[in-house]
Amino acid sequence: MKRKPQNSAAFFENNSWYHRTKILQDDGSIKYSKKGGFATSEEANKSYRRHEDEFKKAYRDYHLAHQINTEVTLKDYLMYWFEEIFSQRIETTTRMVGAYAVYDLILPNIEYDIKVRFTNAEYLDALLERVAKVSASAGNKGREILNMAMKEAVIGGYIKTNPVTGTK
């Protein structure tokens, strides 16, 4: 039996040396595999280091190209969220109610459009107070929609925490 050298990425299997590989897929996910057929552990380790370097470069390039724009404004984010995320997973009647909440209640009441990353509970409390003046249920519907949008903003990496949870 062949011995694996200390601090080696190589392993012996089926009469040849192998190493693990990581391949970055087009969607940003990582596919794990192995590459073999090497005569020595040194050859496998050399191949491993080359593959690792290629993977790291591809990973960096991908994340630079797909970096999230943290400079997006709240208005722009809400419109993006409603059209591209929320509307894709709901029925037509729910979309109509959501469109009313976003386009007729929330967006017209945003006095000072700030960046999503600067949105906080105080800002949203003031916004929801203006929205609540429209009707008895407008404030609650506005808060519900903002909460869903901000949950997605956390998932998408635009913000670290959902500020709606701190609103009145």
Side-chain angles (χ1 to χ4, degrees):
M1 178 177 165
K2 302 273 184 173
R3 283 211 172 282
K4 178 180 173 181
Q6 290 288 358
N7 299 323
S8 175
F11 59 93
F12 195 75
E13 186 177 280
N14 296 331
N15 295 323
S16 73
W17 288 94
Y18 286 79
H19 67 80
R20 303 268 175 227
T21 61
K22 294 186 280 190
I23 301 166
L24 189 66
Q25 303 294 299
D26 291 339
D27 66 356
S29 63
I30 300 170
K31 179 182 176 186
Y32 296 91
S33 189
K34 64 183 178 179
K35 182 173 173 81
F38 300 102
T40 66
S41 65
E42 290 79 19
E43 287 178 26
N45 278 318
K46 186 177 179 182
S47 174
Y48 172 77
R49 286 190 296 277
R50 190 178 73 252
H51 273 84
E52 258 317 280
D53 290 343
E54 289 171 6
F55 173 79
K56 286 176 185 174
K57 183 185 180 324
Y59 189 80
R60 270 193 312 274
D61 291 348
Y62 178 85
H63 283 283
L64 284 173
H66 295 86
Q67 205 167 34
I68 294 167
N69 180 6
T70 57
E71 300 301 308
V72 69
T73 63
L74 181 60
K75 275 185 182 178
D76 288 340
Y77 176 75
L78 288 173
M79 288 187 280
Y80 160 77
W81 169 80
F82 182 77
E83 298 299 335
E84 302 300 325
I85 299 172
F86 185 67
S87 292
Q88 303 304 315
R89 62 179 182 219
I90 56 169
E91 297 295 324
T92 307
T93 52
T94 306
R95 188 183 193 291
M96 288 171 35
V97 172
Y100 174 74
V102 171
Y103 291 109
D104 296 331
L105 297 176
I106 297 170
L107 294 180
N109 283 293
I110 293 178
E111 289 179 348
Y112 305 102
D113 196 14
I114 63 172
K115 293 178 178 150
V116 174
R117 66 187 174 112
F118 295 131
T119 305
N120 59 28
E122 293 80 22
Y123 178 87
L124 294 176
D125 272 336
L127 171 60
L128 290 170
E129 205 172 288
R130 290 189 296 277
V131 169
K133 292 178 182 174
V134 175
S135 73
S137 63
N140 286 334
K141 192 52 151 175
R143 186 175 190 280
E144 179 187 327
I145 291 289
L146 282 172
N147 189 40
M148 286 188 281
M150 291 303 173
K151 279 182 183 178
E152 289 289 338
V154 170
I155 292 167
Y158 292 92
I159 54 178
K160 294 193 186 318
T161 59
N162 180 354
V164 178
T165 58
T167 58
K168 296 175 188 166

